[in-house]
Amino acid sequence: KFPAGRYAGPAAYERVLSYFKANKFNATIREAKLLTSGTENLKDLYWLLAESHAALKDEDGAIQYYRLIMTKCPDSDLAPDAGYRLGHLLQKHEEYLQAAEVFGSVAERYSTNNIAPQSLFAAAACRGKAGRQEEAVRDWRRLIEKYPSTQLAEEARYQKAMSEIFLARDDQAIASLRDLIERHAGSRFAVEARYWLGVLLDGGGKRADAETELRAALAGKPEPEMERRIQLQLAVVLRKTGKTDESAGLLGPLVSSPAGAKIRSSLLSWLAEYHLGKRDWTRAVEPAVALASRGESAAWKQFGYCLAARALTEQGREMEAKDALEKALAIPGDLDSRPEAAWRLSWRSSAGWMP
């Protein structure tokens, strides 16, 4: 009734705000858009528009208005939160590089705001998702150095190490993982950190240290899947250090477990031959059969059938041994184990195998 009166503008804004508080988001958007040509309450109107679009699942609309707060009202009290929410929506849309730039800008511009470390963490994570591991390491490092007391520093150290592993910077990754373990006693990442230390130390030829870390990882009572990964890596290390009995003891149960697919052909072959050497025919069969079924090449598969045939013959399971040898010969190519398979099959046939 009084469009030219002194209360017209404030009343219009209060009406928008009331619609928003009543969860009438379409009405909020309709009425707020009529007011954005002015300069009063601009940041608040953009915020209400952004939040209303977000509530209506119109993420593109929300992105538009969060971005307007960042560009037109960068010094407002709403800008840090608007920037973070903008980055989150871009991240949700898998626009990782754009999200990282927004998060990074928030962390830099509002470095004293409580949202800054969270934004820097998100920036690093997005850069990692985008395959920019070099930049991710930089941001993880910045977070650790600039906000050492934040709770995010613990995971930042772990993620920094993971990026360094990806970049094949083993020495830096080892230093990062040790730093994590030393600074965060009882860290939720301790088991994984010690596992990766074991992997890296083994790769660097420091097998005694690798064994120590892997045993410590197992002592941390990991989840079953992680426990199997650690046991597999420890078995590899123990074999290299000559502790073959313990290595075989760890490997045996893993062959038929979900971790079995990760056991390399050379290790399956060694395990089968180890048990054959111990005249433990029963335990030799499983790794031999696994090698035959999932060997990394035709040559490995053929060798697996031959190993299985040896163990099965010693157990008196001659028809199963014959079947294994026939499968070995069915694999095409002039492979190393073909002569053995042919000799064993012909010799056993002459000794009385039924056709």
Side-chain angles (χ1 to χ4, degrees), residues 200-280:
L200 295 171
L201 291 166
D202 175 41
K206 298 178 180 178
R207 292 181 184 125
D209 292 340
E211 180 182 341
T212 298
E213 294 297 344
L214 291 166
R215 289 191 188 280
L218 284 176
K221 298 181 180 179
E223 294 295 320
E225 181 180 354
M226 190 65 198
E227 182 181 30
R228 288 189 288 266
R229 290 177 65 188
I230 298 166
Q231 288 172 333
L232 176 55
Q233 184 62 37
L234 180 57
V236 170
V237 171
L238 291 171
R239 180 195 167 198
K240 292 176 182 177
T241 57
K243 298 177 182 178
T244 53
D245 290 346
E246 187 178 0
S247 177
L250 283 171
L251 275 176
L254 295 177
V255 174
S256 59
S257 77
K262 297 180 185 293
I263 303 177
R264 296 186 65 82
S265 295
S266 57
L267 203 55
L268 287 171
S269 169
W270 170 81
L271 183 60
E273 291 187 283
Y274 170 86
H275 288 307
L276 286 170
K278 296 283 187 180
R279 303 180 68 80
D280 191 342

Side-chain angles (χ1 to χ4, degrees), residues 100-117:
E101 290 301 316
V102 171
F103 284 130
S105 175
V106 171
E108 184 175 353
R109 181 186 285 268
Y110 312 107
S111 59
T112 60
N113 190 288
N114 290 335
I115 210 167

